Amino acid sequence: MLRQRLFALVVLPTAFAIGLVQPGTASLAASPALPSVSGNNLVDQDHNLAFSSNKQNETSITRDPVTGVLVAGANDEIQEPPCPGTTVPGASPCPFKKGVGVSGYYRSTDGQNWTGGILPGTPGRYSGGDPSLDNGPRQCPNGRFSYRCGTVIYYANLEDPLDPDLHFSEATGVARSFDDGATWQTPVEVSSVSKADFDDHEWLAVDNKNPNSPFYGRVYVFWAVFCANCAGNGNVKLYVAHSSDGGVSWSNPVQVSGANSNFGQGFRETGQMAVASNGTVEAFWSENEDSTHTATLQVVATSTDGGQTFTAPITISPVVDYPLTGTPFDVVDLFNRVPGMSARVDCFPHPAADPSSTKVYVVWCDFAGGNGTGDVKAAVSSDGLHWTNLGVIARVSGRNAFFPAVAAAPDGTVSVAFNALTAPPNNNLWQTGVQVYDTYYVQSRTGGSSFTAPIRVSAQSSNPEGSSYNNLKEQFIGDYIGIVDGPTQATIVWTDARSAALCDAVSAYRSAIYAGVSAVAPDPDFACSTDFGNTDTFAANVTY
């Protein structure tokens, strides 16, 4: 969610269906011929705009398998007006304007030159960000789905209400494009919510790998519903809905998780989903997050009947997330954070289906090694029920990894992109303003049994201190990045802060807030250089 989220807490479910977890450690040795990176290309369309119009984050990408055209999405505030400023301590100087859409779309034929715009909203709503994109075959006149009849690009995002009585009650909508993202149909609402609830963390996946799948062409959306009025902001429930007619209409949601609120036992927020080549639907999330009593678990619920029913959550692996509490930023909110950065980070699972088999890979960040060895871990399954842990698949010395994303090529090549932040000194874990992050890539041609050594994708490093929430209290670079594989290359899109200038007035304001001082935020349009907060969407191609 683009706007600052509430901290949701729920109790763990009473039982899990435990999958066969086989521990292992993938080899990190480099292959003889490393993949090669080309380009660091600007995707978003803002040029020399002031905060917050210069701000993009949370990137997603898909590729038309017929034409090769790339279509990406990001939260994009390019249409937000100038900051009005504030005289109220702690208030936001740059509030979002009601009615201004923030779901950016972009298209490119080569990954180098991009055009784009902002999605419209569903009737009575406007686009609220959190993009998730995928492609699928178009429905033919005979009712069957086939790429011979065309390609549909699907774009799932949050939808904010125009009705002030609904407050922030976001719904989930899906837009469709039949011309590779040049134009878009009016989004269709997947779920409706009352003013007591709001959707978040939606993710979309299409059954598009194998025409012999019994549900080929079916579109799925996975999302969380937060209870806005519940004690502790808990009662998070996870749902899946599907469309059998190319996104025109949607099924009733199927709940795939339990729900309760109990801080001691942890909470859940939805992750992402994938559809295996045989049509098995797999919805992933982290359970028992930040529990004081039990381990956080990466889990999956699977469906073999086209999303009508799902298994109980199956445990894939325990995970050590980044710290939630004990940071200087606790006075503002409780989010997991990488040491050296106030921007929030969550190690939820990110999956991808292999077109060449029934395998599904899932990756996540893990802090088990401690400061300076925050790693990327992975697991793989051929049926969604029994999982082989691959162990650490990527590690950058002296850095902590976050925001991993995975894709699989038609020949089974597995590509993983991720960010990694330089580790601060152990005696000053929350030293901000000097740490930088870069984007990296690793690859496997052996079904995950070995991966190449990480290669750096970003040509310049990013200092997250130049990024910001609209309220200026913390850094902000979103929750995820994107990657898509084609026959010969992967394309990565990520949130990049190389052009984001630091602002002394904002850094001083943050320090005051963390110290518990009642302070008035500066107006960044006057107190900072134009490039403050300028987080951009960048793209690079990696040739296999």
Side-chain angles (χ1 to χ4, degrees):
M1 179 178 175
L2 182 62
R3 293 148 178 80
Q4 190 166 353
R5 291 187 177 90
L6 298 178
F7 181 62
L9 306 171
V10 294
V11 70
L12 74 164
T14 56
F16 285 102
I18 305 297
L20 177 62
V21 179
Q22 302 172 352
T25 300
S27 169
L28 301 182
S31 61
L34 284 175
S36 60
V37 178
S38 61
N40 270 216
N41 302 296
L42 185 65
V43 175
D44 59 69
Q45 307 298 295
D46 81 79
H47 302 284
N48 300 315
L49 296 179
F51 189 82
S52 67
S53 298
N54 60 7
K55 176 181 172 186
Q56 293 80 32
N57 50 69
E58 296 188 348
T59 58
S60 180
I61 188 169
T62 190
R63 177 184 179 275
D64 184 330
V66 178
T67 65
V69 172
L70 298 161
V71 185
N75 298 330
D76 193 332
E77 297 183 33
I78 191 171
Q79 294 183 356
E80 291 289 338
C83 296
T86 182
T87 59
V88 179
S92 174
C94 305
F96 288 89
K97 185 175 181 179
K98 183 172 284 292
V100 175
V102 293
S103 297
Y105 65 86
Y106 323 94
R107 67 190 304 270
S108 174
T109 58
D110 56 8
Q112 299 178 26
N113 303 289
W114 296 81
T115 58
I118 301 293
L119 277 183
T122 56
R125 293 179 177 270
Y126 57 100
S127 63
D130 276 24
S132 174
L133 283 77
D134 203 355
N135 73 84
R138 192 165 184 177
Q139 193 168 24
C140 300
N142 64 5
R144 296 181 179 274
F145 288 90
S146 174
Y147 283 105
R148 291 193 301 271
C149 295
T151 300
V152 185
I153 305 297
Y154 296 95
Y155 188 132
N157 73 139
L158 300 177
E159 302 279 340
D160 289 333
L162 286 168
D163 185 349
D165 188 52
L166 289 177
H167 307 298
F168 55 84
S169 299
E170 291 177 305
T172 299
V174 174
R176 298 168 297 150
S177 175
F178 303 111
D179 53 12
D180 288 339
T183 60
W184 296 86
Q185 304 290 304
T186 300
V188 176
E189 192 170 290
V190 176
S191 68
S192 59
V193 291
S194 70
K195 63 182 178 182
D197 299 314
F198 65 96
D199 290 357
D200 203 358
H201 297 288
E202 94 299 329
W203 202 256
L204 181 144
V206 183
D207 189 338
N208 59 8
K209 302 292 187 297
N210 181 4
N212 294 320
S213 166
F215 307 104
Y216 187 64
R218 185 167 288 190
V219 189
Y220 301 88
V221 174
F222 176 40
W223 75 97
V225 175
F226 285 74
C227 175
N229 298 328
C230 296
N233 299 327
N235 254 359
V236 180
K237 300 180 180 71
L238 309 182
Y239 292 92
V240 174
H242 67 266
S243 175
S244 301
D245 56 11
V248 175
S249 62
W250 293 86
S251 69
N252 291 327
V254 175
Q255 187 172 332
V256 298
S257 74
N260 271 310
S261 177
N262 185 310
F263 184 79
Q265 292 178 310
F267 68 101
R268 69 177 64 87
E269 290 189 54
T270 190
Q272 296 180 354
M273 71 184 312
V275 184
S277 63
N278 62 358
T280 299
V281 185
E282 304 181 20
F284 300 79
W285 70 92
S286 296
E287 192 68 54
N288 310 336
E289 286 196 357
D290 306 305
S291 168
T292 58
H293 300 301
T294 187
T296 301
L297 303 173
Q298 307 293 33
V299 303
V300 62
T302 68
S303 173
T304 57
D305 59 5
Q308 303 287 348
T309 61
F310 282 80
T311 65
I314 298 163
T315 296
I316 298 171
S317 174
V319 58
V320 179
D321 211 334
Y322 285 102
L324 173 75
T325 59
T327 79
F329 325 118
D330 294 357
V331 297
V332 179
D333 51 38
L334 294 178
F335 287 118
N336 302 92
R337 292 178 171 88
V338 177
M341 188 167 71
S342 66
R344 71 182 188 222
V345 168
D346 199 337
C347 289
F348 62 84
H350 307 257
D354 179 359
S356 69
S357 70
T358 61
K359 291 180 179 178
V360 170
Y361 296 87
V362 61
V363 299
W364 63 90
C365 56
D366 193 281
F367 196 51
N371 185 34
T373 56
D375 303 320
V376 179
K377 291 187 176 180
V380 62
S381 173
S382 294
D383 59 9
L385 304 175
H386 308 91
W387 290 84
T388 298
N389 279 319
L390 302 176
V392 176
I393 65 164
R395 173 180 292 164
V396 179
S397 178
R399 294 195 180 217
N400 293 309
F402 63 98
F403 292 176
V406 60
D411 66 355
T413 297
V414 181
S415 298
V416 178
F418 62 96
N419 290 340
L421 181 77
T422 53
N426 287 324
N427 63 358
N428 188 7
L429 282 181
W430 305 107
Q431 176 193 65
T432 57
V434 296
Q435 308 308 325
V436 296
Y437 70 88
D438 283 282
T439 302
Y440 293 86
Y441 174 90
V442 296
Q443 180 190 100
S444 175
R445 290 185 176 272
T446 59
S449 62
S450 63
F451 280 80
T452 60
I455 59 173
R456 181 171 156 178
V457 174
S458 52
Q460 297 182 47
S461 298
S462 293
N463 188 333
E465 181 67 3
S467 69
S468 189
Y469 274 121
N470 284 39
N471 64 20
L472 305 188
K473 293 181 180 180
E474 299 162 300
Q475 306 163 1
F476 185 76
I477 53 176
D479 291 328
Y480 52 88
I481 64 174
I483 185 171
V484 66
D485 274 3
T488 61
Q489 69 179 25
T491 301
I492 304 165
V493 287
W494 70 93
T495 302
D496 194 283
R498 71 183 65 179
S499 298
L502 276 61
C503 177
D504 291 341
V506 171
S507 295
Y509 173 68
R510 290 172 177 169
S511 296
I513 293 294
Y514 304 153
V517 175
S518 179
V520 175
D523 186 335
D525 289 350
F526 294 94
C528 308
S529 70
T530 301
D531 283 333
F532 168 73
N534 184 21
T535 49
D536 293 308
T537 299
F538 266 72
N541 295 322
V542 181
T543 303
Y544 309 136

